[in-house]
Structure formats: C-alpha cells, structure tokens
Amino acid sequence: MEWIQQLINGISLGSIYALIALGYTMVYGIIKLINFAHGDVFMVGSFIGFYSITVFGLGFFPALILSMAACALFGVIIERIAYKRLRNATRIAALITAIGVSLLIEYGVIYIRGAQPEAYPDVFSNRSFEFLGAQISMQSILILSVSVVLMILLQFIVHKTKTGKAMRAVSHDTEAAKLMGINVDNTISATFAIGSALAGAAGVIFGVYYTKIDPLMGVIPGVKAFVAAVLGGIGIIPGAMVGGLVLGVVETIVSALGFSLWRDAAAFIILILILIFRPSGIFGKNTREKV
Amino acid sequence: MKKSKFASLFLSSTLLIGILAGCGSGEEAGSSSEGGDTIKIGANLELSGGVASYGTSEADAIDLAVEEINAAGGINGKKIELIKVDNKSDAAEATNAAIKLTSQDKVTAIIGAATSGNSVAQVQIATDTKTPMISPSGTSTTVTVGEDGKVNPFTFRTAFIDPFQGTVAANFASKELKVKTAAVYADNASDYAKGLAAAFIKDFEAAGGKIVAEESYVAKDTDFRSNLTRIKSANPEFVFIPGYYEEVGLIVKQARELGITVPLMGADGWDSPTLVDLAGADALNNTFIITAYSSEDPDSKAKEFSDNFKEKYGKEPNSFNALGYDTVYLLKDAIERAGSTDGTKIKEAIEATDQLELVTGLYSVDENHHPIKSAIIIEYVDGSQKFKTKVNP
C-alpha cells in the first residue's frame, strides 16, 4: 500500500517538473538557449493565478487560462527585449543574460509585493478517495490530467500545425528556414509564447497543489526542470515529459527509502551521471553537434 | 527569537572589544546607582528594524507594569525610572545600547533584548559591569550559558528555553493524550527544531512511550508527501513536528490529505496566522501547540493582566506582551528581596526565585539560569486558538 501511495506522490511531483521542462526544452530545441528565466515565468504565472482567484474572484479554469495567456505575453516580451539582439552572440552571453533576466524577475516581484509567502485559496475540492489502499486527492488527478492534456496539445501544435512545422524547420536549420520564407522571428516568439504559457499553467497547478507560493519559488523547480529536460534529451518534447516523471518518481523513492535529506542530491547525481554516460539524454540520438 | 545569530554576535563582540579598549579603564565596574529616590531600570529593546514587533510589544507591556508598580508605591518605596533604548534589531546596536545604559545612565538592571542574538550581544557588558540582565523572550540557551558551558552570572530569561518545549510536548502526549507511540518529523536545517526533537524523544521514551518513526525535512521544501507516507505506514498515535509555520502549514495539510488523522503537535514556531491560511482550518483540527501565554488563560493573574492591557492599548495581549510584563515583576520581586540596588545582591535574589506567581505561570530559576515554569497548550479548533491546558513544572 505504501508503495502505491509513494508512486502516486512521485507522479504528481513529476508532472509539475514535466510541465516546466516542456517549455525549457522547446526553447532550447529551437534557439539553443538555456532559458534560466523559465522558472521565474512559472513563479509569475503562479502569482497571476493567485491574484485572479483572490482579487477577481475567478474559478480555477479561468484563472489557469488567464495565467497562461499572460505568461505567453510575458515570455514574448522577455524574448523581444532580452534575447532577440543576442541571437548571433556567443552562447555564453545569452546564458548570462538569461541568469540576469531571472534575477530581475525574482527581485522585481519582491520589490512590487514583498517577499512574504502567500497561501493559495482552496479552489479545488480537497477531497481524496481510496485506491488500492492509497489516498489519491482530487488535486493529484487534476495535476496529472492537466499536464497530460497540455502535453498532447503541444504535440499536436508541433506536429500538425503550420507554426509547429515552422518551429521544426527553424530548429533544424535557421538559415535554410529563412531562405524558404519562414518568418524566423515570429516563429521564435511563438515558441516562447507556448513555452511560457506551459510554465504559467504549471505555476497555477503548483499553487493549488502545494498551497504556498513566494517570489523565489521558481528557483528549485526551474533547476529540477532543467535536469528533467537533460535527462529526457534536451530539445525533445516527449523526453521532457518522461524526464520530469522519472525525476519526480526517483526523488520520491529516495525519500521513501528514508533518505529524504538526499532528495535534491539525487536529482543532481542523475544530472551528473547522464552528462557523463549519455549526454544526449534518454531519447536523444548520439549525433555530433554541427560546427 | 529563535535563530541564533553567531555572525552578528561575533561582529558585535569584536566591536565591543574595540570599544572597551578605547574606553581604557575609565569605567568603574559595578557602579550602579546607590541611593537616590528612584530605581533606574534600562530597557534595551528592538523598537525599530526587522523584529520590531517583538520589541515594541514588550515595551508596551513594560510601560504598563512600571506604571502599575509606581502607582502602588514603587519598589521598597522607590519609584522606577524606566530608560528605554532602541537597539534597532541589530546586535552591534544592542551592545552600544547596553554600554550606554550601564556607563552613562548607571541603571540597576537591564530588561531585554527580545531576541536571543541581541541578548547575547549584551552578555559581556552585563558580566563586566555586574548589571543583572533579563531577556524576556530570548529562548536560545546561549543567552544564559556561554559556548564553553559556563553560566553567564548576570544574565537571566523570562521565557522557557527551546528544548523545554520538547519536554512539555512529551509530557502532554504521554500524560494528557495518553498515547503510547509517536513519530517525530523535524526540520533538519534548524537548531531550534533539532533541540526540540531531541528533548521530545528523550522524555517521551522516559515516560514509557515508543518512537515509531523519525523523519526529517529541510526548510524551503514543499513536498512532504513521501515522508508523511512513511510516517503513516508506521502507524503512530501522535506526531510531533517541531518547525516553523511556513513548512508546517504544508505538512499539516498534506498529512491530512494522506489520511493521517492522529493528533499533531508543534511548538511556538507554529504560532502565526499564516499557518491557518496554509494548512486550512479543517486540517488544523486536532493539532496542538505550546506557547508561553494565552489571553484565554482562566488564571486570575493572567485575566487581570489581560483586562488591564486591553484597557490601556485596546487590543488582546500576546505572549510577548505577557513576557515583557512578567520580566518587570520578576525584577521587582528580586530587588525587594535583595533590599538593595546592588547588582550582585539582585542577581543572587533572582537566582533564589522560587515559585513566583507571574502572568505566564509559576516561575523558578534553575542552576543554568533557565526558568522552570508553566507552559500553555493551545488547541486549534476550526482555525482559531483555544486554551487547552496549562502544564506546571
């Protein structure tokens, strides 16, 4: 019984990592930028959801959609202001800018509203029911189902729509895509919009599931999502999902074995091992990078 | 209040050495005011800065106590003259304030500071100038016992020390709730929580109980479900969770979601309105915390204080108010018994304090200058705190 419960705990945690990792991996896949500000977009999304529920009195789903829309816009603004002009700069310059943007968002939010934590309102039934002797809360089911729906939606966008086709083309070869008449700038903006919307959704779900939100809440999940993306193969969408779930389950198992203080360490040991033995991740093909 | 501030302590002690070296031998030790028709008492409190709410709460209650005592004729016929100094919630400022109080104002005794770190910053000055100092709410053992394990001769405290709360929780669990098995889930990143957990385990086992699970978390975690699942499968009748409200709120919520229905208990680190927001009122039912004071305490002395305080300030007193108030009466009692304003005599009188009736309960001092006193258990009922019982030493 205990193990079924632990598995459920792990999957719930993993779905949140997976949702954040999806945005991470998309941006990396298209413009090879490790967007360290992604975790902070997640935080902003969580606060937008919080204020739309408490101030505007919206329900869970309207708040989720509002937060996704606002984060999509926010992501595009970040890209246009901070990253666009660095597109041909060195990778390290873009990386350092991303770290700068991350700190700017974190401390900007602290400046506006202070650093004190906030308790998410109870918008979703707190009810839980028994399943094979384990307790499953409605919230766990909600997280998993929203994550799965968004992932399916994302796969659909990437593989079936024109924008998705353009994204794949830009990812494959930016120059050639440009020659074929694809508007690269708009495609990259669309990538940021979709990735940030997913982070916003993850923020609202996180708030509902874990109750406590604060301006620095994006830091650890952001790093964990990065690990998840690398684990699954950075740039690969199903890889991010699997990587997130695996990471969540592994962390839970480590705690379940009685090593709860080693939980974060386990995540980083996974990162180190994967970088040593399979740098392209679980789903990645071992190709040399173009020079 | 709880987190020790070794860095600032170090800074302030270096600063102090500098100041003392600068003063040379100008200051004569032990020159507190003798004679005159007032007794000067210094209050070195956090009136501004990060923890100003503690300091100002105590200052309000100290004012009230001094007014009452003066209206009733003072101490041994002498009125109290209160000299308040703001230490700006800063250890170096607390040291400076203590130097001012002892050398310029030549006070008989010092009340303060509210937090452990700012109290420790004054210890050396209190010792050197033989001025008794009582911290109303410094709960770290280092306020009265130095790093070397020796008791600081002139420092005392009104509040109980952190590990004592673990003892109270163990007694409450084994005697009041009559549980035989317990689990402990402690914050591994805080000395406060570790001290409480160790005291709880020792005393609960001594009372014949059995610890069936021991888990730990780290401050800033948000997911506690896997540890709580382990605790649940160990099937304890009681869970002790020393920690601070930010994490405890989530722990209580997640524990109830996982179907842990047994009583949960914590200490003063839980005491915040945010706890109720985080955990939810339902989840908090059947949880208990320890505090020094409850305005619902039916004891006549506590009731009288609560009424007087409400009349003067128009609000319910909190535990910092009560501790500040008690500190003045503790000092009054000692000065009366000493029959003198000599620092050493007052110190000896405080050390001999036995079963003194205060607002926060019966007060005695042990050989480490820690109080032996009553604690109050509060139960959460539908999100509000209800007085449950008072545990006397």
Side-chain angles (χ1 to χ4, degrees):
Chain A
M1 294 317 118
E2 190 190 335
W3 286 99
I4 297 171
Q5 183 74 62
Q6 295 289 22
L7 196 64
I8 293 165
N9 297 339
I11 291 172
S12 310
L13 178 67
S15 334
I16 291 179
Y17 289 158
L19 262 186
I20 310 173
L22 280 176
Y24 236 121
T25 221
M26 273 182 73
V27 168
Y28 183 86
I30 310 284
I31 56 167
K32 300 278 178 286
L33 166 73
I34 299 201
N35 182 13
F36 267 112
H38 195 71
D40 303 295
V41 175
F42 156 79
M43 176 272 290
V44 169
S46 194
F47 273 99
I48 292 170
F50 174 77
Y51 288 117
S52 41
I53 294 167
T54 52
V55 179
F56 302 118
L58 297 182
F60 172 75
F61 286 105
L64 182 75
I65 290 163
L66 182 68
S67 166
M68 287 176 74
C71 282
L73 186 67
F74 187 51
V76 172
I77 292 171
I78 293 173
E79 194 269 327
R80 285 284 154 108
I81 293 175
Y83 300 145
K84 192 177 171 192
R85 61 200 72 216
L86 293 173
R87 214 162 280 162
N88 296 318
T90 54
R91 295 261 285 275
I92 194 80
L95 181 70
I96 291 167
T97 307
I99 294 171
V101 170
S102 160
L103 292 172
L104 178 71
I105 299 172
E106 284 162 18
Y107 290 92
V109 172
I110 290 179
Y111 179 75
I112 294 167
R113 63 164 296 285
Q116 75 282 9
E118 209 75 68
Y120 237 70
D122 239 346
V123 280
F124 224 77
S125 158
N126 223 344
R127 219 147 32 85
S128 50
F129 53 85
E130 290 252 332
F131 174 74
L132 296 174
Q135 296 281 331
I136 307 181
S137 68
M138 291 297 286
Q139 290 166 352
S140 307
I141 295 180
L142 166 83
I143 297 185
L144 194 61
S145 43
V146 172
S147 303
V148 169
V149 167
L150 289 175
M151 283 170 214
I152 293 170
L153 197 66
L154 185 62
Q155 279 295 56
F156 174 80
I157 291 173
V158 171
H159 289 284
K160 303 282 179 202
T161 64
K162 214 170 166 184
T163 320
K165 211 172 191 178
M167 279 178 186
R168 282 181 291 145
V170 171
S171 159
H172 195 70
D173 188 335
T174 316
E175 289 305 310
K178 210 178 267 174
L179 290 173
M180 298 311 288
I182 291 172
N183 187 334
V184 173
D185 282 342
N186 283 356
T187 308
I188 290 174
S189 291
T191 312
F192 267 88
I194 296 170
S196 303
L198 292 173
V204 177
I205 292 175
F206 183 94
V208 170
Y209 193 54
Y210 289 114
T211 318
K212 190 183 76 171
I213 59 169
D214 68 82
L216 298 180
M217 66 187 266
V219 179
I220 294 297
V223 175
K224 295 283 176 65
F226 172 70
V227 176
V230 173
L231 175 61
I234 193 154
I236 303 163
I237 287 169
M241 182 178 162
V242 172
L245 288 174
V246 168
L247 187 65
V249 172
V250 167
E251 281 194 8
T252 310
I253 289 174
V254 169
S255 300
L257 291 173
F259 302 104
S260 59
L261 300 175
W262 286 85
R263 195 164 72 172
D264 288 351
F268 296 111
I269 289 169
I270 290 178
L271 179 65
I272 292 167
L273 290 180
I274 206 93
L275 288 176
I276 293 174
F277 294 108
R278 199 173 161 78
S280 52
I282 299 172
F283 284 66
K285 289 189 258 324
N286 248 331
T287 50
R288 270 173 190 283
E289 204 164 306
K290 288 192 299 262
V291 183
Chain B
M1 180 182 170
K2 294 134 200 155
K3 291 178 185 171
S4 51
K5 294 180 177 164
F6 288 115
S8 46
L9 169 62
F10 175 73
L11 202 71
S12 58
S13 42
T14 19
L15 192 80
L16 167 65
I17 290 163
I19 291 166
L20 289 182
C23 291
S25 53
E27 301 300 340
E28 204 54 68
S31 60
S32 42
S33 63
E34 199 72 56
D37 49 0
T38 60
I39 295 176
K40 283 186 185 171
I41 292 178
N44 182 348
L45 293 169
E46 290 80 348
L47 301 177
S48 64
V51 287
S53 81
Y54 301 154
T56 50
S57 294
E58 285 170 10
D60 283 352
I62 291 168
D63 282 337
L64 175 66
V66 169
E67 266 174 42
E68 283 175 12
I69 292 170
N70 284 345
I75 304 173
N76 296 338
K78 292 179 188 171
K79 295 264 159 72
I80 299 176
E81 186 188 340
L82 187 69
I83 301 162
K84 267 191 273 186
V85 188
D86 179 11
N87 63 35
K88 305 184 177 72
S89 303
D90 182 273
E93 291 282 349
T95 310
N96 292 342
I99 291 171
K100 176 189 172 294
L101 288 172
T102 50
S103 62
Q104 290 180 11
D105 302 318
K106 303 206 184 305
V107 296
T108 301
I110 297 176
I111 295 175
T115 61
S116 300
N118 296 341
S119 304
V120 172
Q122 308 173 56
V123 166
Q124 194 60 47
I125 297 160
T127 311
D128 289 349
T129 60
K130 299 194 170 25
T131 310
M133 181 202 108
I134 311 176
S135 169
S137 51
T139 53
S140 160
T141 50
T142 53
V143 175
T144 57
V145 183
E147 296 285 309
D148 53 0
K150 282 201 202 116
V151 177
N152 301 323
F154 283 87
T155 53
F156 300 88
R157 69 175 89 232
T158 317
F160 40 61
I161 56 166
D162 290 336
F164 174 71
Q165 301 190 64
T167 307
V168 171
N171 289 342
F172 177 73
S174 54
K175 300 201 179 98
E176 292 269 334
L177 300 176
K178 299 196 175 12
V179 294
K180 294 269 170 280
T181 57
V184 177
Y185 191 21
D187 179 352
N188 197 51
S190 110
D191 292 338
Y192 164 73
K194 285 196 278 191
L196 261 67
F200 175 83
I201 293 169
K202 187 169 146 276
D203 291 329
F204 189 70
E205 283 177 342
K210 190 163 176 277
I211 304 290
V212 292
E214 245 184 279
E215 296 287 322
S216 33
Y217 64 93
V218 185
K220 302 284 166 209
D221 275 355
T222 47
D223 194 292
F224 305 97
R225 290 182 171 86
S226 47
N227 293 86
L228 290 168
T229 304
R230 274 171 67 90
I231 289 174
K232 191 190 173 194
S233 61
N235 221 358
E237 294 171 79
F238 176 87
V239 187
F240 184 56
I241 313 171
Y244 296 110
Y245 63 89
E246 273 197 42
E247 286 85 24
V248 168
L250 306 187
I251 292 174
V252 170
K253 177 173 182 271
Q254 294 173 13
R256 295 300 191 219
E257 276 171 14
L258 289 168
I260 298 175
T261 53
V262 298
L264 310 177
M265 185 163 191
D268 56 357
W270 285 35
D271 198 358
S272 161
T274 314
L275 178 77
V276 185
D277 295 338
L278 289 173
D282 280 350
L284 273 176
N285 284 334
N286 203 18
T287 62
F288 303 90
I289 65 169
I290 299 162
T291 64
Y293 170 77
S294 159
S295 58
E296 286 186 17
D297 186 349
D299 175 74
S300 63
K301 208 163 175 70
K303 181 96 178 51
E304 190 191 326
F305 163 69
S306 169
D307 291 344
N308 291 345
F309 189 89
K310 255 185 284 187
E311 197 188 342
K312 186 166 159 72
Y313 295 105
K315 58 186 177 194
E316 292 275 340
N318 60 31
S319 58
F320 287 97
N321 295 134
L323 288 169
Y325 183 85
D326 276 357
T327 307
V328 182
Y329 277 93
L330 173 63
L331 197 56
K332 168 182 181 278
D333 173 70
I335 297 173
E336 273 172 0
R337 280 186 291 113
S340 150
T341 51
D342 177 62
T344 312
K345 285 190 180 142
I346 296 172
K347 160 201 179 274
E348 283 160 4
I350 300 176
E351 280 171 346
T353 304
D354 185 35
Q355 303 274 309
L356 175 66
E357 245 186 89
L358 294 173
V359 165
T360 55
L362 297 174
Y363 182 101
S364 310
V365 181
D366 77 1
E367 71 280 3
N368 287 324
H369 291 191
H370 300 327
I372 305 165
K373 65 184 292 193
S374 344
I376 284 171
I377 311 275
I378 279 172
E379 180 177 8
Y380 277 96
V381 178
D382 295 326
S384 59
Q385 297 188 342
K386 291 276 172 281
F387 178 85
K388 171 87 180 166
T389 176
K390 194 176 205 168
V391 185
N392 284 315

